[in-house]
């Protein structure tokens, strides 16, 4: 299996946060794409942008307003919402309880993978 650096969920592809990372099926649901079909498409190869265009062609192409709402929702995920407890638990498991700068899922992922330096 090839190894590659995991990218930040904050990295945008085609204007969308998280698409390149796609850790769960929320993005698949947002784009109205079948997950198994997406896996097959990814296995065929191509750039992230090509795969996103494929998603737009078989699912839906969100409007600029939809993308704005998606990005703001994802960027703040874990901050005072139903995912907050998970972020707190993951911080504890990773030995980051002292990191008050980590409030969201994106921040935790970036800190855990070394992209968010300790303040």
């Amino acid at each position: 299996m090839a190894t590659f650096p995991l990218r930040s969920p904050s990295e945008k592809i085609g204007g969308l946060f998280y698409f390149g990372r796609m850790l769960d099926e929320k993005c698949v649901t947002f784009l109205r794409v079948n997950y198994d079909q997406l896996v097959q498409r990814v296995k065929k190869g191509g750039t992230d942008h090509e795969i996103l265009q494929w998603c737009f062609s078989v699912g839906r192409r969100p409007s600029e307003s939809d993308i704005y709402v998606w990005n703001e929702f994802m960027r703040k995920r874990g901050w005072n919402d139903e995912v907050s407890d998970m972020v707190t638990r993951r911080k504890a498991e990773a030995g980051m309880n002292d990191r008050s700068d980590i409030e969201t899922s994106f921040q935790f992922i970036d800190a855990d993978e070394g992209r968010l330096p300790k303040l």
Side-chain angles (χ1 to χ4, degrees):
M1 175 192 294
T3 59
F4 54 91
L6 294 172
R7 75 188 110 216
S8 169
S10 299
E11 184 176 325
K12 290 182 182 178
I13 302 294
L16 288 175
F17 280 137
Y18 196 70
F19 179 80
R21 181 83 181 208
M22 201 176 298
L23 293 177
D24 62 24
E25 294 189 23
K26 286 196 180 306
C27 191
V28 174
T29 300
F30 173 67
L31 295 174
R32 297 185 187 136
V33 175
N34 176 279
Y35 182 78
D36 293 330
Q37 290 177 345
L38 175 60
V39 169
Q40 291 306 311
R41 173 58 188 87
V42 169
K43 287 180 180 179
K44 290 180 183 178
T47 67
D48 292 341
H49 289 284
E50 290 168 340
I51 293 168
L52 180 58
Q53 292 305 312
W54 176 87
C55 287
F56 289 163
S57 72
V58 301
R60 78 174 186 120
R61 179 180 293 271
S63 69
E64 284 186 35
S65 295
D66 290 338
I67 290 172
Y68 174 79
V69 170
W70 167 262
N71 286 345
E72 290 304 298
F73 169 76
M74 290 305 297
R75 184 175 67 83
K76 296 173 185 172
R77 196 83 169 124
W79 180 69
N80 295 325
D81 63 17
E82 70 278 4
V83 181
S84 297
D85 289 342
M86 187 233 10
V87 172
T88 300
R89 186 181 73 251
R90 299 282 310 272
K91 281 175 56 175
E93 292 168 355
M96 296 184 200
N97 279 336
D98 62 332
R99 299 284 307 265
S100 62
D101 59 315
I102 300 172
E103 299 179 302
T104 68
S105 296
F106 279 19
Q107 290 168 333
F108 173 77
I109 291 167
D110 282 343
D112 191 48
E113 295 173 357
R115 285 185 296 272
L116 184 65
K118 194 171 189 175
L119 295 178

